[in-house]
Amino acid sequence: MNNEAKRNLSDVESQVKILVEDLKSDSADTQRNATAELRLLAKYDMDNRIVIENCGAIGLLVNLLYSNDPETQENAVTALLNLSINNNKNKSAIVDAGAIEPLISILKNGGSEAKANSAATLYSLSLLEENKIKIGRSGAVQPLVDLLGNGTPRGKKDAITALFNLSIHHENKARIVQYGAVRYLIELMDPAVGMVDKAVAVLTNLATIPEGRNAIGEEGGIPLLVEVVELGSAKEKENAAAALLRLSTNSGRFCNMVLQEGVVPPLVALSQSGTPRTREKAQALLSYLRNQRHENF
């Protein structure tokens, strides 16, 4: 680091120390301004994020998640989101400071921007494996599913990203299904909404458990997954083929529904022209469907 960069960092440190004192102030205005400044400082600069954590801001920002001032609360959420990005030490510090519970409270009761940023923060924190478990067990799934169904477009996007990450951990899958996410995920498979990739990815994870497969079949997911095999991007096609394989191999009824939707021609095309992984999934599903048809006749 050159001298000028060191000087700049030293200036930032002096500034952050003052802002940290301001976070402790009894004045709502002072707290609001300090959270806004820290939110900006943490936004673009990795070094700033380290300085802010070193100066002891994280615990104070977590306390301000309980603020009665909506602007201070939103600034605190967003500052913590920014501090967590690409920094595993900060992710751990945020969770250790007790952030999960107030973040979930904001998901339930905050303004639309604060809700979306709370979901985005939970997503960022859940990139650490142990946090997937903590967040799932702390009651985050239900408000995330509510945001998925009823949030702003931005809120839905942040909710689905968080739910995708949580759905990677097995014990969270049943919770996500139980709170009714599958219906909303299927609604988000409308290409006009722009979230097909994420919706299919979550459904593919949920298709690994019986409750998930039943919900996908009952809520009308099969025709839409077949459509994705035909018209989706390479990654969407791979995930949709994987989900349909799980549905077909575990239920004769769903297998017949998959066949009735005319999946074979797009699968044949996919088995010849997709990526190696996609071809493998398509060939496995084709082979299974052919065997089923022979057994049925």
Side-chain angles (χ1 to χ4, degrees):
M1 190 183 287
N2 64 35
N3 286 340
E4 190 187 346
K6 279 181 184 164
R7 251 199 322 277
N8 287 345
L9 212 52
S10 173
D11 291 346
V12 169
E13 194 171 343
S14 304
Q15 185 188 356
V16 169
K17 282 177 176 168
I18 294 165
L19 292 170
V20 166
E21 289 309 308
D22 287 350
L23 292 179
K24 302 172 189 173
S25 167
D26 293 331
S27 156
D29 286 344
T30 304
Q31 285 187 333
R32 193 182 309 118
N33 292 335
T35 53
E37 290 280 327
L38 287 166
R39 169 182 178 166
L40 280 175
L41 280 170
K43 187 168 185 180
Y44 299 112
D45 194 295
M46 279 292 293
D47 290 330
N48 288 0
R49 290 173 200 151
I50 294 165
V51 169
I52 292 167
E53 193 270 334
N54 287 343
C55 290
I58 284 177
L60 295 164
L61 286 166
V62 168
N63 290 342
L64 288 170
L65 294 175
Y66 293 102
S67 171
N68 292 323
D69 180 81
E71 207 177 317
T72 299
Q73 188 184 63
E74 187 187 307
N75 287 336
V77 175
T78 313
L80 289 167
L81 168 62
N82 293 341
L83 286 167
S84 72
I85 292 167
N86 297 329
N87 189 319
N88 286 350
K89 185 179 177 221
N90 283 0
K91 285 182 175 67
S92 295
I94 291 165
V95 171
D96 291 345
I100 293 174
E101 193 179 312
L103 286 170
I104 292 170
S105 176
I106 291 168
L107 266 185
K108 293 175 181 171
N109 307 308
S112 59
E113 183 79 10
K115 279 184 176 180
N117 285 344
S118 177
T121 308
L122 289 168
Y123 159 73
S124 178
L125 297 176
S126 72
L127 289 165
L128 291 185
E129 200 58 40
E130 65 269 22
N131 289 345
K132 288 182 177 68
I133 302 166
K134 284 180 187 166
I135 291 167
R137 288 180 181 173
S138 298
V141 171
Q142 186 169 10
L144 282 170
V145 171
D146 289 343
L147 187 61
L148 183 72
N150 306 302
T152 61
R154 160 86 207 287
K156 289 181 183 202
K157 202 161 276 191
D158 287 319
I160 201 170
T161 313
L163 287 167
F164 169 72
N165 242 17
L166 293 176
S167 73
I168 293 167
H169 186 72
H170 189 73
E171 77 172 43
N172 289 326
K173 292 173 185 175
R175 291 189 188 106
I176 294 170
V177 175
Q178 176 192 338
Y179 289 117
V182 169
R183 178 163 56 94
Y184 297 138
L185 291 165
I186 288 169
E187 286 171 8
L188 292 172
M189 285 175 71
D190 175 354
V193 180
M195 287 191 234
V196 175
D197 57 337
K198 292 187 175 73
V200 175
V202 181
L203 288 171
T204 304
N205 286 345
L206 299 180
T208 58
I209 61 167
E211 309 95 291
R213 291 190 289 273
N214 287 338
I216 293 166
E218 301 300 342
E219 296 282 359
I222 288 172
L224 293 169
L225 286 167
V226 171
E227 197 174 293
V228 173
V229 168
E230 191 169 6
L231 303 171
S233 69
K235 188 68 189 166
E236 290 163 10
K237 286 178 177 184
E238 181 190 324
N239 280 330
L244 289 170
L245 181 60
R246 286 166 185 158
L247 285 158
S248 299
T249 52
N250 286 283
S251 160
R253 185 163 70 90
F254 291 158
C255 182
N256 286 333
M257 286 165 72
V258 170
L259 279 168
Q260 282 160 14
E261 287 300 326
V263 76
V264 172
L267 272 181
V268 170
L270 197 56
S271 69
Q272 292 165 351
S273 64
T275 65
R277 281 176 64 139
T278 313
R279 283 204 301 271
E280 184 188 320
K281 301 256 169 53
Q283 283 159 0
L285 181 51
L286 270 176
S287 164
Y288 184 80
L289 293 174
R290 282 182 182 132
N291 288 340
Q292 292 307 107
R293 282 206 294 199
H294 289 151
E295 283 174 22
N296 290 342
F297 294 112

